[in-house]
Amino acid sequence: MKMHEDNLLKLNLGCGNRAIPGFINIDIESFDNTDVALDIRKVDEKFSNKCKLIYSSHVLEHFKKNEIKDLLYSWNKCLVPGGILRLAVPDFDAVVQYYKLTKDIDSIQSFLNGGQKSSLDYHFITFNFEYLKRILNEAGFHSVKIYNYQDTEHAYIDDYSQCYLPHMDKTNGMLMSLNIEAIKC
């Protein structure tokens, strides 16, 4: 386990094949870069009150609506008071706006339904800022705000927090990711 100078940890939950140096990279599947193979619904059993930052990019939407609050409560238990939860999820408002502008239904399918490349790659819920903020507040988080991925210590990791349509057009495209940060009460 990677301990930091202040003995508080940073977790990258649902990391897939995108590890972030300096974080404990956790996924239910064991990838080459996975530090801990663990169901992220149970991270509080191992990391309770040990973390200063939890990051999870395009993972929350893979859980059913009735699992989301319990999942966020579990992640809340991992954080010390004042700890940061940083989430990225498909932004339903941006997806709708992009569709209204382009009528390109093919490009938005994976944001709504997942990539469907495996049994774990399906989406069960959609989020916009107001909805996710309400759920985070109910799970014991406050100061919910949008963050700019470019201002994070992991901005150089090209993950889904940086997904644009048209694909990879970070200059003229539209960001399809809702990137939210919240503080544990």
Side-chain angles (χ1 to χ4, degrees):
M1 192 172 313
K2 300 172 186 166
M3 297 300 285
H4 296 277
E5 293 171 13
D6 59 0
N7 293 329
L8 292 177
L9 305 171
K10 297 185 280 187
L11 305 181
N12 178 15
L13 301 181
C15 66
N17 60 6
R18 289 182 173 91
I20 303 174
F23 284 65
I24 299 173
N25 298 285
I26 301 172
D27 201 284
I28 196 166
E29 296 184 69
S30 188
F31 294 93
D32 289 341
N33 58 0
T34 304
D35 297 314
V36 178
L38 177 69
D39 185 334
I40 61 174
R41 291 175 285 202
K42 300 176 182 180
V43 292
D44 60 315
E45 295 171 9
K46 187 167 184 156
F47 298 102
S48 181
N49 207 37
K50 294 181 181 176
C51 302
K52 63 181 175 182
L53 173 65
I54 293 176
Y55 177 61
S56 187
S57 177
H58 286 246
V59 173
L60 204 57
E61 64 275 10
H62 293 272
F63 291 89
K64 294 180 181 168
K65 182 179 179 181
N66 64 349
E67 297 175 299
I68 299 295
K69 272 192 206 161
D70 287 339
L71 181 66
L72 292 173
Y73 280 127
S74 170
W75 295 0
N76 186 304
K77 290 177 189 176
C78 294
L79 291 165
V80 297
I84 298 170
L85 175 64
R86 189 175 294 147
L87 299 172
V89 295
D91 184 346
F92 182 69
D93 290 343
V95 169
V96 169
Q97 183 181 3
Y98 186 82
Y99 177 72
K100 283 182 175 180
L101 290 171
T102 66
K103 301 296 186 211
D104 181 3
I105 198 162
D106 290 326
S107 292
I108 64 168
Q109 288 296 327
S110 62
F111 297 109
L112 297 173
N113 305 307
Q116 302 183 9
K117 296 174 186 161
S118 74
S119 63
L120 299 174
D121 194 12
Y122 285 83
H123 293 182
F124 293 99
I125 188 168
T126 54
F127 298 100
N128 69 5
F129 179 79
E130 292 78 17
Y131 183 62
L132 187 51
K133 179 180 179 181
R134 181 169 41 94
I135 294 169
L136 286 165
N137 288 154
E138 291 170 4
F141 293 94
H142 68 90
S143 301
V144 179
K145 65 178 184 176
I146 292 175
Y147 72 88
N148 183 335
Y149 70 85
Q150 296 167 326
D151 297 332
T152 66
E153 65 195 270
H154 48 81
Y156 65 95
I157 303 291
D158 189 11
D159 65 10
Y160 294 110
S161 68
Q162 304 179 32
C163 54
Y164 283 80
L165 285 179
H167 182 63
M168 300 300 290
D169 186 351
K170 293 181 180 181
T171 303
N172 301 307
M174 183 182 296
L175 182 64
M176 294 288 111
S177 185
L178 175 60
N179 299 330
I180 290 188
E181 217 172 64
I183 307 296
K184 176 180 177 167
C185 294

